[in-house]
Amino acid sequence: MKKIIPALFAAVCCLYTFGETRPNIILILADDLGYGDVGFMGCTDIPTPHIDALATEGVRFTNGTVTHSFCSPSRAGIMAGRYQQRFGHENNVPFSADDLTLGLPVTEKLLPQALKEAGYTTAMFGKWHLGGTEPFHPLNRGFDELYGFLGGGHKYFPEQLTIETPTHRFDEYKTKLLRNRERVEETEHLTEAFTREACAFIERQSADKPFFIYLSYNAPHTPLQPSKETLERVPNLKGKRRQYAGLVVGLDDGVGRVFQTLEKTGHRNNTLIFFLSDNGGPLPHGADNGELRDDKGTVYEGGIRVPFTVSWPGIIPAGVDYEPVVSSLDIYATAAAVAGTTAPEERPLDGVNLIPYLTGEDKTLPHEILFWRQGGGGTWAARQGNLKMSEVRNTVELHDLDKDISESNDLSATYPEKLQNLKARLRSWNKKLVKPLWNNPTPPKKDEAR
Ligand code: CA
Protein backbone atom coordinates (compact mmCIF):
# COMPACT_ATOMS: atom_id res chain seq x y z
CA MET A 1 0.00 0.00 0.00
CA LYS A 2 2.83 2.37 0.85
CA LYS A 3 4.20 2.01 -2.67
CA ILE A 4 0.86 2.39 -4.37
CA ILE A 5 0.04 5.75 -2.79
CA PRO A 6 3.21 7.59 -3.99
CA ALA A 7 2.75 6.04 -7.44
CA LEU A 8 -0.81 7.26 -7.62
CA PHE A 9 0.24 10.67 -6.41
CA ALA A 10 2.99 10.87 -9.04
CA ALA A 11 0.46 9.94 -11.74
CA VAL A 12 -1.87 12.70 -10.59
CA CYS A 13 1.02 15.16 -10.50
CA CYS A 14 2.01 14.18 -14.05
CA LEU A 15 -1.54 14.73 -15.15
CA TYR A 16 -1.52 18.22 -13.74
CA THR A 17 2.04 19.14 -14.67
CA PHE A 18 2.27 17.70 -18.17
CA GLY A 19 3.75 20.30 -20.45
CA GLU A 20 2.77 23.76 -19.28
CA THR A 21 -0.82 22.92 -18.48
CA ARG A 22 -0.48 23.71 -14.80
CA PRO A 23 -3.01 26.40 -14.02
CA ASN A 24 -2.35 29.87 -12.76
CA ILE A 25 -3.72 30.25 -9.25
CA ILE A 26 -5.45 33.33 -7.87
CA LEU A 27 -6.52 33.59 -4.26
CA ILE A 28 -8.85 36.53 -3.69
CA LEU A 29 -9.34 37.15 0.00
CA ALA A 30 -11.93 39.65 1.22
CA ASP A 31 -11.59 41.06 4.73
CA ASP A 32 -14.55 40.76 7.11
CA LEU A 33 -17.08 40.03 4.36
CA GLY A 34 -20.19 38.44 5.85
CA TYR A 35 -21.81 35.16 4.79
CA GLY A 36 -24.85 37.08 3.53
CA ASP A 37 -23.03 39.99 1.89
CA VAL A 38 -22.71 38.73 -1.70
CA GLY A 39 -25.38 37.92 -4.24
CA PHE A 40 -24.30 34.30 -4.61
CA MET A 41 -25.10 33.78 -0.92
CA GLY A 42 -28.48 35.48 -1.19
CA CYS A 43 -27.64 39.13 -0.57
CA THR A 44 -30.21 41.42 -2.19
CA ASP A 45 -29.19 44.92 -1.09
CA ILE A 46 -25.58 45.02 -2.36
CA PRO A 47 -24.92 44.39 -6.07
CA THR A 48 -22.01 41.94 -6.55
CA PRO A 49 -22.42 40.73 -10.16
CA HIS A 50 -18.74 39.96 -10.74
CA ILE A 51 -18.20 37.95 -7.58
CA ASP A 52 -21.46 36.14 -8.36
CA ALA A 53 -20.13 35.34 -11.85
CA LEU A 54 -17.16 33.57 -10.26
CA ALA A 55 -19.55 31.36 -8.32
CA THR A 56 -21.59 30.72 -11.46
CA GLU A 57 -18.44 29.57 -13.25
CA GLY A 58 -17.46 27.25 -10.42
CA VAL A 59 -18.55 25.65 -7.19
CA ARG A 60 -20.28 27.42 -4.33
CA PHE A 61 -19.36 26.04 -0.91
CA THR A 62 -22.38 26.27 1.36
CA ASN A 63 -20.32 25.03 4.33
CA GLY A 64 -17.09 26.89 3.60
CA THR A 65 -15.21 27.60 6.81
CA VAL A 66 -12.10 29.43 7.94
CA THR A 67 -9.87 28.36 10.83
CA HIS A 68 -10.35 31.49 12.91
CA SER A 69 -12.96 34.18 13.40
CA PHE A 70 -10.59 37.11 12.96
CA CYS A 71 -7.90 38.27 10.64
CA SER A 72 -4.32 37.34 11.41
CA PRO A 73 -4.77 33.75 12.68
CA SER A 74 -7.12 32.94 9.81
CA ARG A 75 -4.57 34.24 7.30
CA ALA A 76 -1.78 32.28 9.00
CA GLY A 77 -3.80 29.09 8.54
CA ILE A 78 -4.40 29.85 4.87
CA MET A 79 -0.77 30.69 4.12
CA ALA A 80 0.67 27.71 6.05
CA GLY A 81 -2.06 25.21 5.14
CA ARG A 82 -1.97 24.04 8.74
CA TYR A 83 -3.90 24.82 11.89
CA GLN A 84 -2.23 28.01 13.07
CA GLN A 85 -2.44 26.82 16.69
CA ARG A 86 0.23 24.25 15.81
CA PHE A 87 2.78 27.06 15.53
CA GLY A 88 1.47 29.63 18.00
CA HIS A 89 -0.12 32.09 15.57
CA GLU A 90 -3.40 32.11 17.48
CA ASN A 91 -3.97 35.80 18.18
CA ASN A 92 -3.84 38.92 16.05
CA VAL A 93 -0.20 39.77 15.61
CA PRO A 94 0.53 43.21 17.10
CA PHE A 95 1.98 45.57 14.53
CA SER A 96 5.60 46.43 15.18
CA ALA A 97 8.15 47.98 12.88
CA ASP A 98 11.12 46.67 14.87
CA ASP A 99 10.19 43.52 16.84
CA LEU A 100 11.78 40.57 15.05
CA THR A 101 9.66 37.98 16.91
CA LEU A 102 6.16 39.16 15.98
CA GLY A 103 5.14 37.31 12.83
CA LEU A 104 4.21 33.99 11.27
CA PRO A 105 7.07 31.72 12.40
CA VAL A 106 9.63 31.31 9.63
CA THR A 107 9.74 27.57 10.34
CA GLU A 108 6.50 27.32 8.35
CA LYS A 109 6.80 26.91 4.60
CA LEU A 110 4.15 29.17 3.17
CA LEU A 111 2.05 28.60 0.06
CA PRO A 112 3.87 31.21 -2.09
CA GLN A 113 7.18 29.63 -1.15
CA ALA A 114 5.99 26.16 -2.20
CA LEU A 115 4.61 27.51 -5.47
CA LYS A 116 7.70 29.55 -6.22
CA GLU A 117 9.86 26.47 -5.76
CA ALA A 118 7.50 24.66 -8.14
CA GLY A 119 8.22 27.25 -10.82
CA TYR A 120 5.44 29.78 -10.30
CA THR A 121 5.87 33.55 -10.46
CA THR A 122 4.30 34.80 -7.23
CA ALA A 123 2.81 38.17 -6.34
CA MET A 124 0.83 39.67 -3.50
CA PHE A 125 -1.42 42.74 -3.57
CA GLY A 126 -3.03 44.14 -0.42
CA LYS A 127 -3.02 43.30 3.27
CA TRP A 128 -0.45 41.00 4.89
CA HIS A 129 -1.02 41.03 8.69
CA LEU A 130 1.49 38.25 9.30
CA GLY A 131 4.37 40.33 10.68
CA GLY A 132 5.68 43.84 10.06
CA THR A 133 9.43 43.29 10.19
CA GLU A 134 11.97 41.96 7.72
CA PRO A 135 11.95 38.24 8.63
CA PHE A 136 8.22 38.12 7.93
CA HIS A 137 8.17 40.40 4.88
CA PRO A 138 6.24 38.83 1.99
CA LEU A 139 9.37 38.96 -0.18
CA ASN A 140 11.06 36.73 2.41
CA ARG A 141 8.08 34.35 2.51
CA GLY A 142 7.93 33.33 -1.12
CA PHE A 143 6.55 36.32 -3.02
CA ASP A 144 8.44 37.75 -5.99
CA GLU A 145 6.44 40.97 -5.84
CA LEU A 146 4.48 42.96 -3.28
CA TYR A 147 2.22 45.96 -3.57
CA GLY A 148 0.41 46.62 -0.32
CA PHE A 149 0.89 47.02 3.41
CA LEU A 150 2.10 44.83 6.25
CA GLY A 151 -0.36 45.65 9.07
CA GLY A 152 -3.89 44.58 9.89
CA GLY A 153 -5.85 47.46 8.41
CA HIS A 154 -5.48 50.63 6.41
CA LYS A 155 -6.98 53.93 5.43
CA TYR A 156 -8.42 53.77 1.92
CA PHE A 157 -7.98 57.38 0.83
CA PRO A 158 -4.48 58.03 -0.53
CA GLU A 159 -4.30 61.56 0.91
CA GLN A 160 -4.47 59.98 4.39
CA LEU A 161 -1.38 57.83 3.80
CA THR A 162 1.18 60.21 5.24
CA ILE A 163 3.64 58.12 7.25
CA GLU A 164 6.90 57.08 5.66
CA THR A 165 8.46 55.29 8.65
CA PRO A 166 6.01 53.82 11.18
CA THR A 167 7.12 54.02 14.81
CA HIS A 168 3.87 53.83 16.82
CA ARG A 169 1.69 50.73 16.71
CA PHE A 170 -1.25 52.71 15.34
CA ASP A 171 0.80 54.22 12.54
CA GLU A 172 0.10 51.13 10.49
CA TYR A 173 -3.22 52.44 9.16
CA LYS A 174 -1.59 55.55 7.74
CA THR A 175 1.66 54.28 6.26
CA LYS A 176 2.38 54.83 2.61
CA LEU A 177 2.03 51.63 0.60
CA LEU A 178 4.97 49.41 -0.19
CA ARG A 179 6.10 48.41 -3.64
CA ASN A 180 8.36 45.57 -2.57
CA ARG A 181 10.47 47.34 0.08
CA GLU A 182 10.00 50.93 -1.13
CA ARG A 183 7.34 53.37 0.09
CA VAL A 184 5.33 54.82 -2.78
CA GLU A 185 2.96 57.74 -3.36
CA GLU A 186 -0.45 56.25 -4.17
CA THR A 187 -3.13 58.36 -5.82
CA GLU A 188 -6.13 56.02 -6.00
CA HIS A 189 -8.54 54.52 -3.48
CA LEU A 190 -6.85 51.44 -1.99
CA THR A 191 -9.26 48.90 -3.48
CA GLU A 192 -8.72 50.39 -6.94
CA ALA A 193 -4.96 50.49 -6.40
CA PHE A 194 -4.72 46.78 -5.54
CA THR A 195 -6.92 45.93 -8.51
CA ARG A 196 -4.80 48.06 -10.85
CA GLU A 197 -1.60 46.40 -9.69
CA ALA A 198 -3.01 42.87 -9.93
CA CYS A 199 -4.26 43.54 -13.48
CA ALA A 200 -0.92 45.03 -14.51
CA PHE A 201 0.84 41.95 -13.14
CA ILE A 202 -1.44 39.65 -15.15
CA GLU A 203 -0.74 41.70 -18.30
CA ARG A 204 3.01 41.14 -17.81
CA GLN A 205 2.76 37.34 -17.57
CA SER A 206 3.45 34.99 -20.46
CA ALA A 207 1.75 31.70 -21.20
CA ASP A 208 4.85 29.58 -20.60
CA LYS A 209 5.19 30.14 -16.87
CA PRO A 210 2.30 29.86 -14.42
CA PHE A 211 1.65 32.55 -11.82
CA PHE A 212 0.17 32.77 -8.35
CA ILE A 213 -1.58 35.92 -7.16
CA TYR A 214 -2.62 36.55 -3.57
CA LEU A 215 -5.07 39.42 -3.96
CA SER A 216 -5.72 40.31 -0.36
CA TYR A 217 -8.14 43.23 -0.36
CA ASN A 218 -8.63 44.95 2.98
CA ALA A 219 -12.21 45.76 1.92
CA PRO A 220 -14.70 45.80 3.51
CA HIS A 221 -12.73 45.96 6.80
CA THR A 222 -12.88 49.23 8.75
CA PRO A 223 -12.33 52.15 8.41
CA LEU A 224 -15.55 52.37 6.40
CA GLN A 225 -14.18 54.57 3.63
CA PRO A 226 -15.80 53.71 0.30
CA SER A 227 -15.09 55.92 -2.68
CA LYS A 228 -17.73 58.55 -3.48
CA GLU A 229 -18.51 56.73 -6.71
CA THR A 230 -19.20 53.32 -5.13
CA LEU A 231 -21.20 54.91 -2.31
CA GLU A 232 -23.49 56.49 -4.88
CA ARG A 233 -24.28 53.04 -6.26
CA VAL A 234 -26.02 51.96 -3.04
CA PRO A 235 -28.34 54.96 -2.59
CA ASN A 236 -31.09 53.10 -0.80
CA LEU A 237 -29.01 51.95 2.15
CA LYS A 238 -28.44 53.90 5.33
CA GLY A 239 -25.71 54.48 7.91
CA LYS A 240 -22.90 51.98 8.32
CA ARG A 241 -24.59 49.43 6.07
CA ARG A 242 -24.30 51.92 3.22
CA GLN A 243 -20.64 52.68 3.93
CA TYR A 244 -19.87 48.98 4.21
CA ALA A 245 -21.83 48.25 1.03
CA GLY A 246 -19.84 50.91 -0.82
CA LEU A 247 -16.65 49.03 0.05
CA VAL A 248 -18.18 45.74 -1.12
CA VAL A 249 -19.19 47.34 -4.44
CA GLY A 250 -15.58 48.48 -4.91
CA LEU A 251 -14.37 44.98 -4.11
CA ASP A 252 -16.79 43.56 -6.67
CA ASP A 253 -15.59 46.04 -9.31
CA GLY A 254 -12.05 44.85 -8.62
CA VAL A 255 -12.95 41.19 -9.06
CA GLY A 256 -14.64 42.14 -12.33
CA ARG A 257 -11.56 43.91 -13.65
CA VAL A 258 -9.28 41.02 -12.73
CA PHE A 259 -11.68 38.67 -14.49
CA GLN A 260 -11.73 40.86 -17.62
CA THR A 261 -7.94 41.05 -17.63
CA LEU A 262 -7.70 37.26 -17.45
CA GLU A 263 -10.04 36.97 -20.41
CA LYS A 264 -8.25 39.65 -22.43
CA THR A 265 -4.86 38.00 -21.89
CA GLY A 266 -6.15 34.49 -22.65
CA HIS A 267 -5.45 33.23 -19.14
CA ARG A 268 -9.00 32.70 -17.88
CA ASN A 269 -9.46 29.07 -18.92
CA ASN A 270 -6.19 28.08 -17.32
CA THR A 271 -6.67 29.80 -14.00
CA LEU A 272 -7.90 28.33 -10.74
CA ILE A 273 -9.57 31.07 -8.68
CA PHE A 274 -10.48 30.92 -5.01
CA PHE A 275 -12.65 33.63 -3.51
CA LEU A 276 -13.48 33.80 0.19
CA SER A 277 -13.55 36.02 3.26
CA ASP A 278 -10.94 35.67 6.02
CA ASN A 279 -13.65 35.61 8.72
CA GLY A 280 -17.31 36.32 9.29
CA GLY A 281 -18.77 39.79 8.98
CA PRO A 282 -18.80 42.19 11.96
CA LEU A 283 -22.43 43.20 12.59
CA PRO A 284 -21.59 46.52 14.34
CA HIS A 285 -19.82 47.64 11.15
CA GLY A 286 -22.73 46.98 8.83
CA ALA A 287 -22.08 43.37 7.77
CA ASP A 288 -24.78 40.71 7.36
CA ASN A 289 -24.19 37.03 8.08
CA GLY A 290 -27.64 35.93 6.93
CA GLU A 291 -29.16 33.30 9.20
CA LEU A 292 -25.91 32.52 10.96
CA ARG A 293 -25.45 33.09 14.68
CA ASP A 294 -23.30 36.00 15.84
CA ASP A 295 -20.37 37.44 13.93
CA LYS A 296 -16.66 38.10 13.64
CA GLY A 297 -14.74 37.06 16.74
CA THR A 298 -16.85 34.06 17.77
CA VAL A 299 -16.72 30.38 16.87
CA TYR A 300 -20.42 30.36 16.14
CA GLU A 301 -21.15 30.09 12.43
CA GLY A 302 -21.33 33.87 11.93
CA GLY A 303 -17.64 34.04 12.83
CA ILE A 304 -16.24 31.11 10.89
CA ARG A 305 -18.54 30.29 7.96
CA VAL A 306 -17.86 32.55 4.99
CA PRO A 307 -18.76 33.14 1.35
CA PHE A 308 -16.40 30.76 -0.45
CA THR A 309 -16.22 29.73 -4.10
CA VAL A 310 -13.67 28.13 -6.42
CA SER A 311 -13.59 27.95 -10.20
CA TRP A 312 -11.41 26.33 -12.87
CA PRO A 313 -13.14 26.17 -16.26
CA GLY A 314 -13.30 22.73 -17.79
CA ILE A 315 -12.00 20.97 -14.67
CA ILE A 316 -14.34 21.96 -11.83
CA PRO A 317 -18.07 21.77 -12.60
CA ALA A 318 -19.81 25.11 -13.06
CA GLY A 319 -22.76 26.52 -11.18
CA VAL A 320 -23.14 23.79 -8.59
CA ASP A 321 -23.21 23.71 -4.79
CA TYR A 322 -20.84 21.59 -2.75
CA GLU A 323 -22.34 20.98 0.67
CA PRO A 324 -19.83 18.93 2.71
CA VAL A 325 -17.71 21.03 5.06
CA VAL A 326 -14.54 22.43 3.52
CA SER A 327 -11.84 24.56 5.09
CA SER A 328 -9.64 27.46 4.08
CA LEU A 329 -6.84 25.02 4.94
CA ASP A 330 -7.73 23.19 1.71
CA ILE A 331 -6.50 26.07 -0.43
CA TYR A 332 -2.83 25.24 0.18
CA ALA A 333 -3.29 21.50 -0.37
CA THR A 334 -5.28 22.06 -3.56
CA ALA A 335 -2.85 24.62 -4.96
CA ALA A 336 0.16 22.45 -4.13
CA ALA A 337 -1.41 19.43 -5.81
CA VAL A 338 -2.24 21.21 -9.06
CA ALA A 339 1.22 22.77 -9.07
CA GLY A 340 2.75 19.31 -8.66
CA THR A 341 4.41 19.98 -5.34
CA THR A 342 3.98 18.75 -1.78
CA ALA A 343 4.42 20.04 1.76
CA PRO A 344 7.44 19.12 3.88
CA GLU A 345 6.93 15.68 5.48
CA GLU A 346 7.70 16.95 8.97
CA ARG A 347 5.05 19.64 8.69
CA PRO A 348 2.06 17.85 7.13
CA LEU A 349 -0.82 19.90 5.82
CA ASP A 350 -4.16 19.86 7.59
CA GLY A 351 -6.12 20.56 4.42
CA VAL A 352 -6.89 18.31 1.47
CA ASN A 353 -6.75 18.67 -2.31
CA LEU A 354 -10.36 19.48 -3.13
CA ILE A 355 -10.20 18.83 -6.87
CA PRO A 356 -11.11 15.09 -6.74
CA TYR A 357 -14.05 15.91 -4.48
CA LEU A 358 -15.30 18.63 -6.78
CA THR A 359 -14.97 16.56 -9.95
CA GLY A 360 -16.86 13.71 -8.27
CA GLU A 361 -13.89 11.36 -8.49
CA ASP A 362 -13.86 11.08 -4.69
CA LYS A 363 -17.28 10.77 -3.15
CA THR A 364 -16.14 10.60 0.47
CA LEU A 365 -16.02 13.65 2.77
CA PRO A 366 -12.98 15.95 2.54
CA HIS A 367 -12.92 16.23 6.35
CA GLU A 368 -14.13 13.71 8.89
CA ILE A 369 -13.85 16.43 11.57
CA LEU A 370 -12.60 20.02 11.93
CA PHE A 371 -11.54 21.92 15.06
CA TRP A 372 -11.32 25.48 16.35
CA ARG A 373 -9.50 26.96 19.34
CA GLN A 374 -9.17 30.64 20.18
CA GLY A 375 -7.00 32.56 22.62
CA GLY A 376 -5.08 29.48 23.73
CA GLY A 377 -8.25 27.80 25.02
CA GLY A 378 -11.53 28.81 26.62
CA THR A 379 -13.22 29.08 23.23
CA TRP A 380 -13.56 25.90 21.25
CA ALA A 381 -15.54 24.23 18.50
CA ALA A 382 -15.58 20.94 16.63
CA ARG A 383 -17.56 20.07 13.52
CA GLN A 384 -18.23 16.49 12.49
CA GLY A 385 -20.68 16.14 9.62
CA ASN A 386 -23.85 17.99 10.56
CA LEU A 387 -22.98 18.08 14.28
CA LYS A 388 -21.14 20.96 15.86
CA MET A 389 -19.99 21.37 19.42
CA SER A 390 -19.11 24.82 20.70
CA GLU A 391 -17.73 25.97 24.03
CA VAL A 392 -17.70 29.69 24.66
CA ARG A 393 -16.96 31.03 28.15
CA ASN A 394 -17.92 27.66 29.68
CA THR A 395 -21.21 27.48 27.78
CA VAL A 396 -21.16 24.15 25.97
CA GLU A 397 -23.68 23.50 23.20
CA LEU A 398 -24.35 20.93 20.53
CA HIS A 399 -26.16 21.72 17.30
CA ASP A 400 -27.33 19.92 14.21
CA LEU A 401 -26.38 22.44 11.52
CA ASP A 402 -28.36 20.68 8.79
CA LYS A 403 -31.59 21.37 10.68
CA ASP A 404 -30.50 24.36 12.72
CA ILE A 405 -28.16 26.63 10.78
CA SER A 406 -28.67 29.40 13.35
CA GLU A 407 -27.42 27.25 16.27
CA SER A 408 -30.53 28.05 18.28
CA ASN A 409 -31.58 24.59 19.47
CA ASP A 410 -29.05 23.11 21.92
CA LEU A 411 -28.99 19.30 21.71
CA SER A 412 -26.35 18.64 24.36
CA ALA A 413 -28.88 17.12 26.77
CA THR A 414 -30.41 15.04 23.97
CA TYR A 415 -27.15 13.51 22.75
CA PRO A 416 -24.73 13.53 25.72
CA GLU A 417 -22.63 10.71 24.25
CA LYS A 418 -22.12 12.54 20.97
CA LEU A 419 -21.12 15.64 22.88
CA GLN A 420 -18.63 13.67 24.98
CA ASN A 421 -17.16 12.13 21.86
CA LEU A 422 -16.59 15.54 20.26
CA LYS A 423 -15.05 16.84 23.48
CA ALA A 424 -12.66 13.88 23.59
CA ARG A 425 -11.67 14.47 19.97
CA LEU A 426 -11.02 18.15 20.74
CA ARG A 427 -8.83 17.24 23.73
CA SER A 428 -6.87 14.83 21.61
CA TRP A 429 -6.33 17.46 18.87
CA ASN A 430 -5.38 20.03 21.49
CA LYS A 431 -2.43 17.91 22.63
CA LYS A 432 -0.70 18.61 19.32
CA LEU A 433 -0.96 22.39 19.71
CA VAL A 434 1.27 24.98 21.35
CA LYS A 435 0.50 28.09 23.38
CA PRO A 436 -0.05 31.40 21.57
CA LEU A 437 3.25 33.18 20.91
CA TRP A 438 1.78 36.61 21.72
CA ASN A 439 -1.39 38.20 23.09
CA ASN A 440 -3.96 40.10 21.05
CA PRO A 441 -3.05 43.79 20.85
CA THR A 442 -4.89 45.93 23.36
CA PRO A 443 -7.44 48.42 21.99
CA PRO A 444 -6.32 52.03 21.63
CA LYS A 445 -6.58 54.27 24.70
CA LYS A 446 -8.57 57.48 24.50
CA ASP A 447 -5.51 59.64 23.91
CA GLU A 448 -4.04 57.37 21.23
CA ALA A 449 -4.87 58.82 17.84
CA ARG A 450 -5.70 56.31 15.14
CA1 CA B 1 -10.70 39.99 8.73
Side-chain angles (χ1 to χ4, degrees):
M1 193 64 184
K2 275 185 182 170
K3 283 182 184 169
I4 293 172
I5 290 172
L8 275 175
F9 185 78
V12 171
C13 289
C14 284
L15 185 70
Y16 286 130
T17 60
F18 180 73
E20 278 304 334
T21 58
R22 291 185 302 174
N24 308 305
I25 301 166
I26 301 182
L27 166 56
I28 305 175
L29 191 63
D31 196 354
D32 290 12
L33 181 67
Y35 187 71
D37 282 328
V38 289
F40 80 81
M41 295 309 296
C43 180
T44 56
D45 62 350
I46 309 176
T48 57
H50 302 107
I51 296 171
D52 299 345
L54 272 186
T56 306
E57 280 213 351
V59 164
R60 179 180 83 140
F61 296 118
T62 54
N63 280 281
T65 63
V66 290
T67 58
H68 212 88
S69 66
F70 50 84
C71 306
S72 187
S74 173
R75 288 153 189 266
I78 291 170
M79 281 291 124
R82 291 154 39 81
Y83 282 116
Q84 62 278 358
Q85 300 93 339
R86 292 191 190 279
F87 48 89
H89 200 126
E90 193 169 342
N91 291 317
N92 267 339
V93 63
F95 181 78
S96 169
D98 55 16
D99 189 322
L100 301 178
T101 67
L102 293 173
L104 204 171
V106 295
T107 44
E108 294 297 312
K109 184 177 190 174
L110 304 191
L111 176 59
Q113 195 181 344
L115 293 177
K116 184 175 177 168
E117 286 174 11
Y120 278 62
T121 304
T122 56
M124 174 189 149
F125 307 99
K127 161 173 162 173
W128 183 232
H129 208 189
L130 297 173
T133 50
E134 187 60 20
F136 314 107
H137 192 287
L139 296 193
N140 284 329
R141 305 310 299 268
F143 286 108
D144 293 314
E145 296 185 25
L146 162 72
Y147 191 85
F149 61 92
L150 303 183
H154 225 74
K155 303 275 190 187
Y156 291 87
F157 297 133
E159 61 273 21
Q160 296 181 359
L161 311 185
T162 54
I163 295 176
E164 193 86 28
T165 307
T167 52
H168 189 275
R169 67 184 179 122
F170 296 127
D171 286 351
E172 57 166 320
Y173 275 61
K174 294 181 279 191
T175 56
K176 294 178 183 179
L177 297 182
L178 287 168
R179 184 181 298 286
N180 299 325
R181 291 187 174 83
E182 303 297 322
R183 299 280 172 198
V184 295
E185 300 294 334
E186 178 54 61
T187 58
E188 293 192 278
H189 186 273
L190 241 62
T191 305
E192 291 164 25
F194 298 144
T195 300
R196 178 196 72 218
E197 294 293 325
C199 292
F201 172 85
I202 293 168
E203 300 255 15
R204 291 199 300 274
Q205 305 309 304
S206 63
D208 57 4
K209 189 176 182 196
F211 60 81
F212 168 60
I213 293 175
Y214 177 35
L215 180 49
S216 175
Y217 287 110
N218 58 315
H221 191 289
T222 53
L224 299 178
Q225 295 182 327
S227 70
K228 187 167 176 289
E229 190 269 327
T230 57
L231 193 62
E232 284 172 356
R233 285 155 60 193
V234 280
N236 297 325
L237 297 176
K238 301 264 184 291
K240 286 188 177 175
R241 180 66 176 166
R242 187 177 179 201
Q243 304 282 329
Y244 177 92
L247 285 172
V248 176
V249 166
L251 169 71
D252 186 69
D253 285 350
V255 171
R257 277 176 57 196
V258 168
F259 199 87
Q260 285 163 10
T261 307
L262 288 172
E263 289 198 323
K264 189 177 84 176
T265 53
H267 286 301
R268 174 58 192 124
N269 285 342
N270 192 34
T271 300
L272 169 67
I273 305 179
F274 295 95
F275 175 91
L276 75 162
S277 176
D278 67 338
N279 52 254
L283 302 181
H285 298 156
D288 182 351
N289 295 313
E291 298 173 277
L292 305 183
R293 178 174 173 182
D294 285 2
D295 61 345
K296 175 182 180 178
T298 81
V299 292
Y300 298 121
E301 292 296 281
I304 58 173
R305 198 192 300 202
V306 293
F308 194 167
T309 180
V310 62
S311 68
W312 186 6
I315 305 289
I316 293 176
V320 300
D321 282 354
Y322 188 75
E323 294 181 355
V325 187
V326 299
S327 168
S328 54
L329 295 168
D330 300 330
I331 293 168
Y332 191 130
T334 304
V338 303
T341 187
T342 54
E345 265 183 32
E346 69 280 9
R347 308 186 88 75
L349 298 177
D350 287 312
V352 299
N353 172 15
L354 289 173
I355 304 295
Y357 297 95
L358 302 180
T359 59
E361 184 188 335
D362 191 330
K363 298 194 188 314
T364 64
L365 297 176
H367 297 278
E368 189 260 327
I369 192 165
L370 286 169
F371 304 105
W372 287 263
R373 185 185 87 174
Q374 296 195 175
T379 298
W380 309 85
R383 171 93 188 256
Q384 187 176 38
N386 56 326
L387 280 184
K388 178 182 171 188
M389 185 217 113
S390 57
E391 181 175 346
V392 178
R393 292 182 291 278
N394 297 319
T395 299
V396 180
E397 295 177 52
L398 182 73
H399 296 284
D400 179 343
L401 292 179
D402 279 0
K403 294 177 183 153
D404 178 24
I405 192 173
S406 303
E407 297 169 277
S408 58
N409 181 25
D410 178 21
L411 300 173
S412 55
T414 314
Y415 301 113
E417 286 176 9
K418 289 179 178 177
L419 180 63
Q420 287 309 315
N421 176 53
L422 287 175
K423 276 187 172 180
R425 295 287 300 274
L426 253 176
R427 279 197 297 274
S428 172
W429 171 71
N430 188 47
K431 286 180 185 160
K432 300 169 195 156
L433 311 181
V434 299
K435 289 180 182 170
L437 290 174
W438 52 76
N439 293 322
N440 281 314
T442 51
K445 294 173 191 153
K446 274 187 180 166
D447 58 346
E448 285 183 302
R450 191 160 185 182

